[in-house]
Amino acid sequence: MSEQHCACCGHDYTGKFCPVCGQAEGDGRITWSWLRKSILLLWGMDSRSMPYTIWQLIWRPGYLIGEYISGRRQVSYPPVKMIFIVVVIYAVLKQLLGLKASGLEVAADGNKILFIVDWLVTHPGWGMIFVTMNMILPTWILFRYAPKHTRHTLPESAFIQIFMSTLMLVMIILSRTVTAFFLLLIPFYYYITYRQLFGYGRWSTLWRTVTCFLVWTMTMLTIIGSSSNILAGFDPVTFKSTCVTFTMIAVILAVGYWIGRKNYRPQRTDCQQ
């Protein structure tokens, strides 16, 4: 291999990267090829292809997410970067194709609750990120003692929901451009993902997934109601109902956590058998 001269720091070296500053071999004048590679890199067409990752997320979501949180991150396009690119793609498609955010028109005038709901409906990209983030805590608690990925952390649970946000946005895009049937797949995908990811059986996965959605629904309604209460002024009745709802959520999560911990059986290694 011939000796290279780094255009960045001026160091002479042999190899593909400068050992002093890390610049790649051949980085010099900007060419059409360099521009093409930069654009492909921006839109996820590099070695860890974003389209391939999205296909894996559709075909085997739980296994892909499990590989990522287990440390095999080279198999996946960076999820945080991916979700923001998908949001931008949806916004571009919405402008080009004149996509409607929903088949329903929300009359938000004069109603604080409908105003908040209207924002979530008309901004499905950011709205989907917000609503899926409310699945972090119930998923972390109810699947804490799963056969696979036991004792996963809250940051790992957050990355699980980032992947799910991307998948849900893809389903929304397909529902707007192909058929609304894809929206019906969202609950199904959560069940499949959790079963592949955490390794519970059919019924154990089902009741935990349903409980997650129950807690999510109660949380979303409470957040929307509390937000409208703050916008409209303090209301003692709404405040009391909010406290009651959060107490119910805490009890549901505590019971689910206790059941998971009580039934947890650590996997025995070969040395223990």
Side-chain angles (χ1 to χ4, degrees):
M1 185 176 292
S2 62
E3 188 176 60
Q4 305 289 331
H5 180 77
C6 180
C8 182
C9 65
H11 181 76
D12 293 325
Y13 66 96
T14 301
K16 293 186 177 181
F17 296 93
C18 175
V20 177
C21 65
Q23 179 158 294
E25 171 195 7
D27 280 354
R29 300 291 298 271
I30 296 177
T31 63
W32 287 110
S33 177
W34 186 91
L35 178 62
R36 178 183 60 83
K37 291 179 180 179
S38 298
I39 295 174
L40 292 179
L41 177 64
L42 172 64
W43 292 100
M45 304 297 181
D46 57 334
S47 59
R48 288 182 290 174
S49 169
M50 190 180 77
Y52 176 78
T53 300
I54 291 178
W55 169 248
Q56 292 293 303
L57 198 57
I58 294 174
W59 184 248
R60 49 190 295 273
Y63 297 129
L64 174 69
I65 297 172
E67 291 170 353
Y68 187 86
I69 66 176
S70 295
R72 297 180 58 194
R73 300 192 176 100
Q74 290 299 319
V75 302
S76 169
Y77 192 78
V80 176
K81 183 179 179 180
M82 180 168 59
I83 189 172
F84 282 103
I85 292 177
V86 173
V87 169
V88 172
I89 290 175
Y90 178 83
V92 171
L93 288 175
K94 183 179 178 182
Q95 293 297 323
L96 292 178
L97 304 179
L99 301 179
K100 294 182 179 180
S102 173
L104 300 175
E105 293 185 0
V106 182
D109 295 338
N111 191 310
K112 302 298 183 181
I113 294 180
L114 290 183
F115 174 79
I116 298 171
V117 175
D118 181 64
W119 187 90
L120 294 175
V121 171
T122 54
H123 299 80
W126 304 112
M128 181 58 66
I129 297 175
F130 169 74
V131 298
T132 52
M133 290 302 102
N134 285 293
M135 289 287 282
I136 293 176
L137 187 61
T139 300
W140 179 67
I141 292 177
L142 294 173
F143 292 90
R144 179 74 169 155
Y145 292 96
K148 296 167 58 178
H149 303 291
T150 306
R151 299 177 185 272
H152 65 283
T153 64
L154 268 175
E156 288 173 343
S157 187
F159 269 94
I160 292 171
Q161 297 309 321
I162 290 173
F163 274 108
M164 295 308 296
S165 297
T166 303
L167 181 57
M168 298 306 105
L169 282 172
V170 171
M171 292 297 105
I172 290 177
I173 292 174
L174 292 175
S175 70
R176 301 290 185 261
T177 56
V178 182
T179 173
F181 171 75
F182 285 100
L183 286 179
L184 302 178
L185 296 179
I186 290 179
F188 171 78
Y189 261 118
Y190 260 99
Y191 170 79
I192 292 298
T193 301
Y194 284 166
R195 187 171 182 196
Q196 292 178 352
L197 177 61
F198 295 113
Y200 276 120
R202 290 192 297 268
W203 295 110
S204 295
T205 303
L206 180 61
W207 77 258
R208 285 177 171 85
T209 305
V210 171
T211 304
C212 282
F213 272 102
L214 174 63
V215 171
W216 172 84
T217 302
M218 296 172 66
T219 303
M220 287 297 301
L221 291 176
T222 303
I223 291 176
I224 293 174
S226 300
S227 301
S228 63
N229 182 31
I230 293 174
L231 292 174
F234 180 77
D235 180 11
V237 176
T238 305
F239 177 76
K240 291 180 180 179
S241 64
T242 300
C243 293
V244 171
T245 303
F246 276 123
T247 302
M248 293 173 60
I249 291 174
V251 170
I252 293 172
L253 293 179
V255 171
Y257 176 85
W258 178 81
I259 294 175
R261 184 173 182 178
K262 181 176 180 293
N263 296 330
Y264 173 62
R265 297 291 183 271
Q267 295 183 350
R268 301 175 62 186
T269 62
D270 294 338
C271 296
Q272 295 174 323
Q273 292 178 352

